[in-house]
Amino acid sequence: MKRNKIQILLMLAMLSPLSLVKAQWTGKREKPAKTIDVKYGTITRPNRTDSAMVAFRNYGLGQFIHWGLYAIPGNEWNGISARQGAPASEWIRTWGGPTAPKNWLNIYDNLYKQFNPKNFDAKIWAKRAKEMGVKYLVFTTKHHDGFCLWPSKYSDYTVANSPYKKDIVKQVVDAYTEQGIDVFLYFSVTEWTNKDCVTSIPKTADEKARFDRFLKYTKNQLLELQTNYPRIKGFWFDGTWDRSWVNSYEFTYNLEKELRKNNPNLIIGSRFRNDEHGSRHFDSNGVLLGDYEQGWERKMPANIDILDGNDWDCVMTIPPNGWGYVKNTDGMYLKTTDDVIDLLMRSRSMNGNFVLNFGPDGDGNMSKHENELITDLGKWTKANAEGIYNVSHFPLESKYGYYTVSKTDSTSLFLTVMNRPVNNILRVVFPKNSKLIPASAILLDSQKDLILKKANIGFDRDQNMYFDIIIPEDLQSKRAFLVKIKLGNAKTAEDKLMDAKI
Ligand code: FHN
């Protein structure tokens, strides 16, 4: 049936900007055909080389912690699950429909009166994060419900007015900083419980007055966080989708300038604001808004080209969705250490960081699964640190896993073997005209030498060279392992290598 023009126009109209944006995320991104004037575009220096941004690129592994009042119910209430009624555990305040408890909103908005995490110990969290190999933390100061984990003087809805009373943000910043882990503060702009948070574009005088008050409040809280916790390295903004905030592009532009003036090395991602045409993450000319691309949430770029050279990180939950504590995870797939290793090394192979989220319970405990993951992953990152942190993308694909190359020694190439070949022969392919080729190889964790041979397999016409690295038959590897390949000058290295006996 031929669609008439109206129908097609209607269909296009239904294509909300979000769906268009979604189309951008994993497919090739076309820069706009022609550039337009953008007054409120990016503020930061592109491809910063200051020490803070250099450190950001080497973080490799980050830890996200979502903690707040939503941790008390843990995605259920009186044994009834919120799975059917709220989009995620930290959104449980929005629980609706037939499963929602009577008077739920009132129940939730009084939870602060029982917030008293008896087992919370930031020092333990920080020590365990260090053990896991975490280099930066993103910690929720305030999520969409507006409850502040610091004693903000601009709100009554804070930890100071809970039985716990003490400043949680300070304890976390101090404990993680002492462990040498950089801290970024997550800050939700949208605030469900704030009557001044007008989400649509303010029209009436009352809406305008309220939203103006909200903008001032938001700015005051951000400046307060910078003053209270000067050692933080950046902000991780969220909840910046309301039309009212999108429409406040001059305010947000100037606010970002002020935050950066207070700390010139501050790192702010692309989710904070948009240009005057409403373009978020990237301005209307496709230029990144912020110091790194912050849109890779529970998804990964298909290849490095999509990233267009921008810095980025990927944030991921352990359960399918749900950033806050989930008491009952029955029936949910919880990511394993192997899943995390794959996501981590995929990110690293494309010059990105991988940030795994943890949702402590209402008493401040990490779950059994989270603790096992911390221990297991920590052993792996410790044994393979050289191939994880101070590395960058190497322009070769591998069917066995992911390449990373040392930033300090371009002849140290690492292959993370996710898929061990059944014949234990890693047949590595290098373009024929490579100046550097494999000269020797070891298992990174044991430093055990591996046999490396030239493999003249007669595919000469494909303009490639082949090298066989032999994995010892007796290598018992429970999980992925790294092979460190020393590259040598093509001329000398090739002569030294024996021919692989095919
Ligand atoms: O709505 C939030 C969600 O609760 C969670 O905080 C994630 C974490 O990146 N950010 C938003 C969803 O994109």
Side-chain angles (χ1 to χ4, degrees):
M1 179 194 73
K2 207 164 162 348
R3 286 198 178 90
N4 65 33
K5 211 161 160 231
I6 306 288
Q7 275 176 317
I8 289 170
L9 284 175
L10 264 178
M11 268 171 58
L12 282 176
M14 263 131 67
L15 254 186
S16 77
L18 206 57
S19 57
L20 288 177
V21 167
K22 241 187 273 171
Q24 276 176 9
W25 287 122
T26 43
K28 185 108 187 71
R29 284 181 194 153
E30 302 306 327
K31 285 252 199 260
K34 63 181 180 44
T35 55
I36 62 171
D37 272 351
V38 171
K39 189 172 171 217
Y40 298 99
T42 193
I43 292 170
T44 190
R45 300 94 70 190
N47 302 320
R48 286 170 44 178
T49 53
D50 57 277
S51 57
M53 208 58 214
V54 169
F56 179 88
R57 294 186 185 107
N58 291 334
Y59 284 151
L61 178 62
Q63 179 184 39
F64 216 140
I65 294 184
H66 273 72
W67 201 37
L69 299 179
Y70 41 81
I72 296 172
N75 213 36
E76 61 181 65
W77 193 252
N78 293 339
I80 308 288
S81 169
R83 288 190 203 184
Q84 310 307 322
S89 46
E90 73 288 353
W91 276 64
I92 193 169
R93 185 177 182 274
T94 67
W95 191 358
T99 61
K102 242 189 197 29
N103 206 13
W104 170 245
L105 217 46
N106 184 50
I107 294 169
Y108 186 94
D109 288 346
N110 282 285
L111 287 177
Y112 74 95
K113 293 173 184 165
Q114 60 179 289
F115 185 67
N116 195 4
K118 61 181 186 303
N119 299 332
F120 167 60
D121 183 334
K123 289 190 169 68
I124 294 178
W125 285 5
K127 193 168 153 302
R128 292 285 281 147
K130 178 87 177 187
E131 197 184 306
M132 185 170 115
V134 164
K135 302 294 182 188
Y136 70 128
L137 167 75
V138 182
F139 183 69
T140 48
T141 58
K142 172 184 83 169
H143 202 258
H144 309 334
D145 61 9
F147 182 69
C148 304
L149 293 183
W150 84 100
S152 174
K153 55 179 190 286
Y154 300 101
S155 168
D156 295 334
Y157 196 37
T158 84
V159 66
N161 295 323
S162 75
Y164 184 73
K165 296 201 181 316
K166 290 171 287 184
D167 184 344
I168 287 175
V169 173
K170 177 168 174 25
Q171 293 176 71
V172 168
V173 171
D174 290 351
Y176 276 76
T177 305
E178 259 124 59
Q179 287 289 344
I181 299 173
D182 287 346
V183 178
F184 287 57
L185 295 183
Y186 168 106
F187 183 93
S188 171
V189 168
T190 199
E191 205 175 289
W192 295 329
T193 53
N194 188 326
K195 60 177 179 19
D196 290 343
C197 183
V198 177
T199 54
S200 55
I201 295 178
K203 290 210 172 31
T204 66
D206 169 62
E207 285 172 345
K208 285 179 183 151
R210 283 192 288 132
F211 191 65
D212 278 351
R213 260 201 315 269
F214 179 73
L215 290 178
K216 273 195 200 72
Y217 159 81
T218 301
K219 175 176 169 182
N220 285 338
Q221 282 204 320
L222 286 170
L223 297 178
E224 179 183 50
L225 288 168
Q226 276 194 302
T227 307
N228 291 7
Y229 318 108
R231 295 192 292 181
I232 62 166
K233 299 296 179 188
F235 282 110
W236 206 97
F237 287 103
D238 204 0
T240 55
W241 46 69
D242 293 335
R243 300 307 306 158
S244 51
W245 182 262
V246 171
N247 189 51
S248 307
Y249 46 81
E250 185 176 0
F251 171 84
T252 58
Y253 180 86
N254 291 323
L255 177 54
E256 181 177 335
K257 281 181 93 161
E258 186 158 356
L259 294 173
R260 289 185 185 279
K261 192 163 126 273
N262 296 340
N263 173 358
N265 281 349
L266 192 71
I267 296 175
I268 297 177
S270 60
R271 204 180 284 206
F272 179 41
R273 60 181 186 81
N274 47 270
D275 70 10
E276 65 269 33
H277 309 289
S279 188
R280 301 181 65 220
H281 289 281
F282 296 88
D283 74 10
S284 304
N285 296 324
V287 177
L288 186 68
L289 286 165
D291 299 301
Y292 68 99
E293 190 178 345
Q294 205 189 340
W296 300 102
E297 176 180 316
R298 297 196 297 123
K299 58 182 167 227
M300 296 280 276
N303 58 61
I304 193 166
D305 299 338
I306 292 176
L307 298 155
D308 207 21
N310 292 315
D311 294 299
W312 63 287
D313 68 7
C314 165
V315 293
M316 194 69 78
T317 48
I318 293 177
N321 188 6
W323 300 78
Y325 173 56
V326 180
K327 193 182 287 181
N328 177 354
T329 56
D330 291 355
M332 287 186 180
Y333 181 80
L334 301 181
K335 289 179 190 66
T336 63
T337 302
D338 294 322
D339 292 324
V340 175
I341 289 170
D342 181 77
L343 294 165
L344 168 64
M345 296 316 287
R346 199 179 338 160
S347 302
R348 298 304 289 147
S349 74
M350 295 190 278
N351 289 337
N353 295 323
F354 180 73
V355 187
L356 187 64
N357 181 74
F358 290 76
D361 69 15
D363 284 329
N365 307 300
M366 299 286 181
S367 71
K368 180 170 173 292
H369 184 86
E370 287 170 330
N371 272 311
E372 284 165 0
L373 218 160
I374 289 170
T375 304
D376 279 357
L377 185 59
K379 287 181 194 145
W380 194 85
T381 54
K382 189 160 182 267
N384 295 290
E386 194 185 350
I388 300 168
Y389 297 107
N390 201 3
V391 293
S392 58
H393 168 73
F394 187 74
L396 261 189
E397 300 276 316
S398 168
K399 63 185 175 188
Y400 305 114
Y402 307 106
Y403 280 119
T404 47
V405 64
S406 165
K407 279 183 180 167
T408 50
D409 168 11
S410 58
T411 66
S412 289
L413 177 65
F414 303 94
L415 175 58
T416 300
V417 180
M418 300 300 303
N419 315 306
R420 179 172 177 169
V422 286
N423 62 0
N424 282 320
I425 298 176
L426 291 172
R427 181 152 290 167
V428 167
V429 190
F430 268 60
K432 221 174 182 68
N433 60 2
S434 302
K435 294 206 173 20
L436 290 173
I437 60 170
S440 64
I442 60 170
L443 279 173
L444 184 60
D445 55 4
S446 63
Q447 299 284 302
K448 180 180 164 49
D449 287 334
L450 298 175
I451 296 168
L452 165 66
K453 302 176 179 176
K454 216 171 27 175
N456 291 319
I457 54 176
F459 285 6
D460 302 318
R461 298 174 64 79
D462 71 0
Q463 300 309 312
N464 284 320
M465 293 183 277
Y466 295 84
F467 303 87
D468 284 353
I469 298 173
I470 314 302
I471 304 168
E473 297 276 343
D474 61 357
L475 174 72
Q476 305 297 323
S477 59
K478 219 164 68 70
R479 50 179 42 109
F481 54 88
L482 268 70
V483 171
K484 179 178 180 179
I485 302 168
K486 204 71 190 145
L487 302 178
N489 179 300
K491 280 289 137 272
T492 47
E494 194 167 353
D495 300 347
K496 280 207 192 98
L497 289 177
M498 299 152 38
D499 281 336
K501 297 286 166 278
I502 308 296

